[in-house]
Amino acid sequence: MASASSYAYTTGPITASCEVSATFKDQLIRVTSTAGANGSITPEHRDVIYGKTTTFTVTPKIGYIPAAKGCDGVLTGTTYTTGVITGACNVAATFTANSYTVTATASANGTISPPNRTVNHGDKTTFTVTPNPGFTATAKGCDGVLTGTTYTTGVITGACNVEASFAANNTAQTIYLHTDALGSVILETDASGQVKKRTEYKPFGESKDN
């Protein structure tokens, strides 16, 4: 029986007229794909006709940026198109976290620092809020919370701003004056009735505290 080896066809012993008939079919080459964390590439492989190109879909998770290389291709949007396939090769997709600018602003009578931070998608960050003496700080924005002088944001999924404001400490106090029959102040109390000061008088109206 005749056999084929390395594209050379060897006949069997010739004892009569005969004909050799050759047919050809496309050679298929396997192109595989792999993906790193935080995204995917599909399909896992394609069988590609020699001399043709093929495509893969690269899909990042929300907040991540895709990249891909291999098989002399190019990524456009989420579609990776290989170069002309002449041998087995692999397309590798990777994904990096997007980053956002978190800014900070402060009203009068205090500061917040730093003025901004660059934060990766899914991370948190902190700012230092410092009120002037005699003032109390509050802050809001980026789903965060102020603990002492440290403002910690929530998980960052986009650009946002932290606002710090400062209010004067309330030290004002209402004092009630109590008088005797002559109208002289003999007692001072606060709103809760606590005695703050007592005054006694010498003859002729001179107070003993003078």
Side-chain angles (χ1 to χ4, degrees), residues 25-120:
K25 64 179 181 179
D26 292 320
Q27 179 185 357
L28 295 179
I29 299 173
R30 176 152 292 191
V31 178
T32 56
S33 68
T34 53
N38 301 307
S40 63
I41 183 170
T42 55
E44 293 182 355
H45 66 266
R46 289 191 187 276
D47 292 321
V48 186
I49 295 173
Y50 181 95
K52 300 293 184 179
T53 64
T54 191
T55 61
F56 292 85
T57 299
V58 180
T59 306
K61 290 184 178 179
I62 294 174
Y64 288 82
I65 301 170
K69 63 181 181 178
C71 305
D72 294 325
V74 61
L75 179 64
T76 304
T78 59
T79 300
Y80 189 83
T81 304
T82 67
V84 172
I85 300 301
T86 58
C89 58
N90 181 74
V91 176
T94 57
F95 307 90
T96 56
N98 204 348
S99 61
Y100 311 101
T101 299
V102 179
T103 55
T105 54
S107 66
N109 302 308
T111 61
I112 184 170
S113 61
N116 62 72
R117 289 189 187 277
T118 300
V119 185
N120 285 340

Side-chain angles (χ1 to χ4, degrees), residues 68-193:
K69 63 181 181 178
C71 305
D72 294 325
V74 61
L75 179 64
T76 304
T78 59
T79 300
Y80 189 83
T81 304
T82 67
V84 172
I85 300 301
T86 58
C89 58
N90 181 74
V91 176
T94 57
F95 307 90
T96 56
N98 204 348
S99 61
Y100 311 101
T101 299
V102 179
T103 55
T105 54
S107 66
N109 302 308
T111 61
I112 184 170
S113 61
N116 62 72
R117 289 189 187 277
T118 300
V119 185
N120 285 340
H121 179 90
D123 288 347
K124 297 180 179 181
T125 192
T126 60
F127 293 87
T128 300
V129 181
T130 307
N132 290 347
F135 289 82
T136 300
T138 59
K140 64 180 181 178
C142 305
D143 294 326
V145 61
L146 180 63
T147 305
T149 60
T150 300
Y151 188 84
T152 305
T153 67
V155 172
I156 300 301
T157 58
C160 59
N161 182 70
V162 175
E163 300 177 26
S165 56
F166 308 91
N169 294 333
N170 184 14
T171 57
Q173 187 176 22
T174 301
I175 299 297
Y176 295 88
L177 305 180
H178 304 265
T179 62
D180 60 14
L182 298 176
S184 300
V185 176
I186 59 172
L187 191 67
E188 298 178 14
T189 61
D190 61 17
S192 67

